[in-house]
Amino acid sequence: MKTYTARPVVSETSRKELQEYSDIVAHILFHRGITSTSAAREFLNPDYATGLHDPFLMKDMEKAVVRILTAIKNNERVVIFSDYDADGIPGAVILSDFFKKINFNNFSNYIPHRHDEGFGLNSNAIEEWVKENVKLVITIDCGIASVKEVTAISKHAIDVIVTDHHEPGTELPEAFAIVDAKQSDDMYPYKMLCGAGVVYKLVQAILSRDRFSLKEGQEKWFLDMAGLATLADMVPLNGENRVLATFGLKVLRKSPRPGIVALCSKLGIQQAQITEDDIGFSIVPRINAASRMGESYDAFRLLSSNDPVEARALAKHLDTINDERKGTVAAMVREVKKIIAERETVESMKKVIVIGNPKWRPSLLGLVANSLVDEHSRPVFLWGRDGEENIKGSCRAGEGASVIAIMEKAKHALLEYGGHNASGGFSVAHDVVHKLEEELVRAYESLPQREKVQEDFIDAHLDLKDVTMKLYSSFEALSPFGVGNPKPIFMFRGVIPSEVKLFGKEKNHLELSFDIGKNKPLHAIGFFMKPEDFDTPPVAGTAVNLVATLEKSLFRGFAELRLRIIDIV
């Protein structure tokens, strides 16, 4: 059974520094590493004018800007080559929209097919680019690892500007310019921008050299895409990212972009009230579903369209694709669970689940793994085969060890690997895949014990009567929430639900109701949860310990404060 530890109280020194804030806000700030008055004010009041750094502090930014201005002046053919996810696609929209606004139209967008071409630059299109007399390729959210591909492209007298945010390898591509703050000799003061964030800085830099008759500040309308990508790409929401996410949400709420208007309408989101949850749970899955199902260009078309009729059709199309993706993933989950059930005795003894099928599409395996880790409380590694016959997979940690730590120990058996502690991806040779399970289990067992355990924290214990709009408002200024700035988590001990029910068309969401002495009960919601998912299944009239966050629901236009279930113990 999971155990939860309350975070320690604020130190006396820090409490004095944070004395202008309530106890709960000071507590949360302290455990975000914000311990001084000045740091708190800066965090709680993001400032666009002072919170963004000079883009020319980034290595090669000057070279990139001069080359792009030359291409515009000479009307050279340009290709924007972007990744296919909810970072690369918004980044591509920023740059293509910018070119259109300055009346430069001699460009095209290239988004690789996720299944057939995979991640990063590829040489599939070089012959076509040569025929089209392309002179400049600008990458977005990829390219830093494309050493061979950049060399191949450059041989045809095509310059390549790499804009990326991924970690460079030991060898860098011989590009005309590389704009990536994670280069070892890059002096840019903030290293954690997403791909679209880097492109936004590029546009800022270009406009500082030539406004092209655009009004001062007009580039701020591109913040809707920069903010969406920042919230989508799991980068930490501090520093410059916090500024981009905060002002990106402000722009999204009033963006005239037909694709955003259409998506909000289709998904029942009040655009003027759009939140990071709407982006993470509703909008981003539709963008990513397009690439997972092999139709990433449709997501780009939706976000870049200026035609409301086309946008509505594309929003409907992406919603349909997302439903298809859900169905495909559900079928794969059933297949994996059947395999696990057939191996039940053996699997119960193993500390890592490793399963593969060459018929499985790698782009969907992360979603399948997500649905398994909590149920089995151990790392899950799944593999399939892509359109180029490569064996690739995804992994999730669940309550188990860091998947990066596991793969580091098993790197001799892998061709490539990467990711974070909680999730990652890998590729493996055909002649090694039969030994993959053995190697990963051995790697897990060789880890120090401390790396096998993940501690769960709550921010504080609360009573149900503490759940008020005043409390919610007190830490709403901490938003937007995300990586590096998670929603505050609370435990409600010994609370008794008056009703436990499943709701939704498929009865796959959980709702607990609590009588708190007011006209309306307090509801706790768990999407895609059911009572038996928990160590202590909730039963009406029986006390439970509830772990949850607070949220304000605007369902059907009515504001309601409720709890979002994380766990029941």
Side-chain angles (χ1 to χ4, degrees), residues 70 127 174 205 212 253 282 300 303 315 374 467 474 486 490 550:
T70 299
E127 287 185 22
E174 293 184 5
F212 294 97
R253 287 167 186 154
S282 297
F300 171 79
L303 294 177
D374 289 337
V467 180
S474 71
F490 305 106
L550 274 64

Side-chain angles (χ1 to χ4, degrees), residues 352 379 381 401-410 440 443-444 447:
V352 182
F381 286 74
S402 158
V403 291
I404 285 293
I406 295 172
M407 290 190 288
E408 181 67 28
K409 291 279 188 180
L440 291 171
Y444 173 87
L447 291 175

Side-chain angles (χ1 to χ4, degrees), residues 234-269:
M234 305 298 285
V235 289
L237 296 183
N238 54 25
E240 202 163 14
N241 280 341
R242 182 164 171 81
V243 176
L244 292 175
T246 299
F247 288 91
L249 277 171
K250 290 179 186 292
V251 175
L252 277 165
R253 287 167 186 154
K254 51 189 176 185
S255 174
R257 192 181 294 278
I260 293 297
V261 174
L263 261 183
C264 288
S265 175
K266 177 65 183 173
L267 303 177
I269 296 169

Side-chain angles (χ1 to χ4, degrees), residues 166-310:
H166 294 99
E167 293 283 350
T170 54
E171 185 181 1
L172 292 174
E174 293 184 5
F176 182 89
I178 299 176
V179 183
D180 183 340
K182 289 180 180 169
Q183 294 179 83
S184 60
D185 57 347
D186 194 296
M187 302 306 292
Y188 195 70
Y190 188 74
K191 305 293 186 183
M192 301 307 294
L193 291 169
C194 69
V198 175
V199 173
Y200 187 77
K201 302 301 295 186
L202 176 64
V203 170
Q204 276 190 315
I206 294 170
L207 287 173
S208 74
R209 294 287 189 262
D210 190 333
R211 295 284 325 165
F212 294 97
S213 301
L214 293 186
K215 292 179 181 177
E216 195 69 36
Q218 195 167 344
E219 67 273 14
K220 291 180 183 177
W221 284 106
F222 300 143
L223 282 166
D224 60 347
M225 294 293 99
L228 188 155
T230 299
L231 290 164
D233 203 51
M234 305 298 285
V235 289
L237 296 183
N238 54 25
E240 202 163 14
N241 280 341
R242 182 164 171 81
V243 176
L244 292 175
T246 299
F247 288 91
L249 277 171
K250 290 179 186 292
V251 175
L252 277 165
R253 287 167 186 154
K254 51 189 176 185
S255 174
R257 192 181 294 278
I260 293 297
V261 174
L263 261 183
C264 288
S265 175
K266 177 65 183 173
L267 303 177
I269 296 169
Q270 294 186 49
Q271 186 180 348
Q273 305 283 344
I274 198 168
T275 68
E276 62 268 40
D277 283 348
D278 294 322
I279 291 171
F281 295 125
S282 297
I283 292 176
V284 167
R286 270 75 185 174
I287 296 171
N288 283 334
S291 70
R292 293 182 195 280
M293 302 301 284
E295 301 184 48
S296 52
Y297 200 77
D298 287 339
F300 171 79
R301 287 173 59 210
L302 170 70
L303 294 177
S304 61
S305 176
N306 290 316
D307 182 349
V309 175
E310 178 189 44

